[in-house]
């Protein structure tokens, strides 16, 4: 049903996506999203400012951040719009993976939008009630897991069901975690759920300083785009010993759109930020990265490339766990970037150094392809 639906929708794709060169379409997707973001960024900021959609700053955060109160938020709408327009223009829409990513973007973006809206309306940084927020995020992640499982079972010509479900271990050529051995895709679906929700919330936690989250998102999207290109080409997949999954060929267009949209947004989000992406951007971008990692079967490589996001999430988990169990804090403040602010680093120093770490981690993640 899903494959038929996506195939039916795909008959309406634009003439632009008929360009035969995948690499050319990916580059054009980057340019399109970048131009869109740059062209409409100023207008979006002015509109958000006119609507008084200002950021509510937590009182228990760094005191230096209180000066940012009122900076327009929900700028993620600009990022997601640029991704959507660029993807619809340049991707082949008969590819179900493209539609799954667009659905993820809309669902997680809608949850983030509701969270941001409530923060603005009530001037309260708590936002959406936790149980409602995680219910809808869970529905989005489960949709991906179930959809990818059934696509794997119904389209065996694209790759074997095992290859589209099992977890690959980097460096080791023939070592896998056999999720496909479990009935009804239970192992794969549950794992997918945790990858997507974990990535979504990790990016959201990282988005706490001007420009801190968006450039690592761009870098990881570029790394995953390379993974998608390799796994979507039978020659490269065979040479590098990764599963060949033909649907991944069009995923690179979505990655290109994310790169262009992210770079365009960084123009306005760099210190001092004119706009914040808000949960509408962070939750959606993180979920899309997690989904692409599952699609390419490179979840562990994704954890390496997105190690900055992992560290930020772990710092919060350690801080909360330590305080509940021992009444002691591990860090001066969590997430991790606030800890470094508290020990005396300037905001720009934290951001620049974290960007350097992100670049190194993406390179290390890509190295796992050849090491295998």
């Amino acid at each position: 049903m899903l494959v038929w639906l996506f195939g039916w929708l795909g008959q309406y794709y634009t003439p632009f996506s008929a360009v035969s060169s995948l690499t050319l379409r990916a580059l054009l997707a980057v340019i399109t999203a970048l131009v869109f973001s740059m062209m409409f960024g100023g207008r979006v900021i002015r509109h958000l400012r006119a609507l008084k959609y200002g950021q509510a700053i937590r009182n228990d955060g760094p005191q230096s951040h209180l000066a940012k109160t009122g900076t327009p938020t929900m700028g993620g709408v600009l990022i997601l719009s640029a991704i959507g327009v660029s993807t619809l223009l340049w991707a082949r829409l008969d590819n179900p993976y493209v539609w799954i990513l667009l659905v993820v973007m809309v669902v997680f973006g809608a949850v983030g939008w509701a969270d941001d809206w409530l923060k603005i309306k009530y001037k309260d940084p708590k936002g959406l009630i936790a149980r409602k927020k995680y219910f809808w995020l869970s529905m989005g992640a489960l949709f991906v897991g179930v959809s990818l499982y059934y696509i794997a079972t119904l389209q065996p010509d694209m790759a074997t069901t095992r290859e589209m479900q099992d977890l690959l271990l980097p460096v080791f050529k023939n070592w896998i975690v056999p999720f496909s051995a479990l009935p009804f895709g239970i192992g794969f679906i549950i794992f997918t759920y945790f990858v997507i929700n974990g990535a979504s919330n990790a990016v959201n936690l990282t988005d706490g300083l001007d420009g801190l989250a968006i450039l690592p998102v761009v870098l990881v999207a570029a790394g995953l785009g390379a993974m998608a290109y390799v796994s979507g080409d039978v020659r490269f997949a065979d040479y590098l010993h990764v599963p060949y999954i033909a649907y991944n060929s069009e995923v690179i267009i979505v990655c290109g759109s994310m790169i262009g949209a992210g770079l365009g947004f960084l123009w306005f989000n760099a210190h001092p930020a004119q706009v914040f992406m808000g949960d509408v951007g962070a939750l959606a971008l993180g979920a899309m990265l997690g989904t692409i990692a599952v699609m390419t079967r490179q979840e562990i490589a994704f954890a390496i490339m997105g190690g900055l996001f992992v560290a930020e999430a772990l710092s919060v988990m350690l801080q909360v766990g330590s305080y509940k169990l021992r009444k002691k804090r591990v860090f001066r403040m969590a997430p991790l970037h606030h800890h470094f602010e508290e020990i005396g680093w300037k905001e720009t120093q934290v951001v620049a150094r974290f960007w350097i770490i992100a670049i190194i981690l993406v390179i290390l993640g890509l190295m796992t392809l050849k090491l295998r």
Side-chain angles (χ1 to χ4, degrees), residues 107-227:
V107 171
F108 281 76
V111 175
W113 184 91
D115 198 30
D116 286 334
W117 167 247
L118 290 173
K119 291 175 182 177
I120 294 167
K121 183 178 180 180
Y122 296 107
K123 306 297 181 183
D124 184 353
K126 293 181 180 179
L128 191 63
I129 297 173
R131 65 175 181 275
K132 291 184 179 180
K133 180 177 180 179
Y134 289 107
F135 171 80
W136 290 110
L137 295 183
S138 297
M139 290 300 99
L142 289 173
F143 161 78
V144 175
V146 173
S147 298
L148 293 181
Y149 169 72
Y150 278 104
I151 288 173
T153 57
L154 295 175
Q155 298 291 301
D157 56 313
M158 308 303 286
T160 67
T161 301
R162 182 189 64 78
E163 287 177 326
M164 294 177 78
Q165 292 183 47
D166 291 341
L167 174 64
L168 302 179
L169 300 179
V171 181
F172 302 101
K173 189 181 300 184
N174 298 313
W175 287 22
I176 61 171
V177 177
F179 288 135
S180 59
L182 298 174
F184 311 113
I186 294 298
F188 172 76
I189 293 171
I190 292 175
F191 182 69
T192 298
Y193 168 86
F194 282 111
V195 170
I196 295 174
N197 265 328
S200 179
N201 285 285
V203 172
N204 195 31
L205 289 170
T206 305
D207 184 36
L209 301 178
D210 298 350
L212 177 60
I214 191 61
L215 186 61
V217 165
V218 167
L219 294 170
V220 174
L224 288 175
M227 299 286 191

Side-chain angles (χ1 to χ4, degrees), residues 13-347:
Y13 60 80
T14 68
F16 299 106
S17 61
V19 175
S20 59
S21 173
L22 178 62
T23 305
L24 177 59
R25 284 193 288 122
L27 291 173
L28 290 171
V30 174
I31 295 171
T32 301
L34 176 61
V35 170
F36 184 98
S37 296
M38 296 290 291
M39 182 180 299
F40 292 100
R43 300 179 189 179
V44 169
I45 293 170
R46 288 192 295 272
H47 188 61
L48 291 173
R49 189 175 287 119
L51 292 173
K52 298 183 179 179
Y53 283 5
Q55 178 72 47
I57 305 297
R58 299 181 66 95
N59 293 325
D60 57 353
Q63 295 302 300
S64 60
H65 289 204
L66 295 177
K68 300 182 181 184
T69 301
T71 301
T73 188
M74 298 177 71
V77 171
L78 173 66
I79 304 173
L80 303 189
S81 298
I83 293 172
V85 168
S86 183
T87 298
L88 291 172
L89 280 176
W90 297 109
R92 289 188 57 88
L93 301 183
D94 55 352
N95 185 313
Y97 277 17
V98 172
W99 283 107
I100 288 172
L101 284 166
L102 290 176
V103 170
V104 167
M105 182 183 76
V106 171
V107 171
F108 281 76
V111 175
W113 184 91
D115 198 30
D116 286 334
W117 167 247
L118 290 173
K119 291 175 182 177
I120 294 167
K121 183 178 180 180
Y122 296 107
K123 306 297 181 183
D124 184 353
K126 293 181 180 179
L128 191 63
I129 297 173
R131 65 175 181 275
K132 291 184 179 180
K133 180 177 180 179
Y134 289 107
F135 171 80
W136 290 110
L137 295 183
S138 297
M139 290 300 99
L142 289 173
F143 161 78
V144 175
V146 173
S147 298
L148 293 181
Y149 169 72
Y150 278 104
I151 288 173
T153 57
L154 295 175
Q155 298 291 301
D157 56 313
M158 308 303 286
T160 67
T161 301
R162 182 189 64 78
E163 287 177 326
M164 294 177 78
Q165 292 183 47
D166 291 341
L167 174 64
L168 302 179
L169 300 179
V171 181
F172 302 101
K173 189 181 300 184
N174 298 313
W175 287 22
I176 61 171
V177 177
F179 288 135
S180 59
L182 298 174
F184 311 113
I186 294 298
F188 172 76
I189 293 171
I190 292 175
F191 182 69
T192 298
Y193 168 86
F194 282 111
V195 170
I196 295 174
N197 265 328
S200 179
N201 285 285
V203 172
N204 195 31
L205 289 170
T206 305
D207 184 36
L209 301 178
D210 298 350
L212 177 60
I214 191 61
L215 186 61
V217 165
V218 167
L219 294 170
V220 174
L224 288 175
M227 299 286 191
Y229 187 84
V230 166
S231 61
D233 187 298
V234 65
R235 298 163 301 172
F236 291 132
D238 180 66
Y239 175 69
L240 294 170
H241 302 284
V242 297
Y244 165 61
I245 304 172
Y247 285 139
N248 279 334
S249 59
E250 291 299 311
V251 172
I252 189 176
I253 306 300
V254 182
C255 291
S257 299
M258 294 177 71
I259 293 168
L263 290 175
F265 180 76
L266 180 60
W267 181 270
F268 305 99
N269 186 233
H271 184 79
Q274 298 174 256
V275 64
F276 301 137
M277 75 167 77
D279 287 5
V280 62
L283 290 177
L285 292 173
M288 292 177 75
L289 292 177
T291 302
I292 296 169
V294 174
M295 288 174 169
T296 56
R297 309 309 303 131
Q298 297 294 334
E299 296 91 342
I300 294 180
F302 168 58
I304 296 172
M305 290 189 289
L308 181 63
F309 304 135
V310 175
E312 294 274 25
L314 286 177
S315 70
V316 174
M317 294 169 64
L318 288 172
Q319 187 84 323
V320 173
S322 177
Y323 189 76
K324 286 185 176 181
L325 293 174
R326 306 187 303 147
K327 300 300 179 183
K328 294 182 180 180
R329 291 180 173 86
V330 178
F331 306 99
R332 292 194 178 185
M333 188 176 292
L336 190 59
H337 53 264
H338 289 326
H339 169 78
F340 288 105
E341 283 188 290
E342 290 297 300
I343 65 174
W345 290 16
K346 294 180 180 180
E347 179 176 349

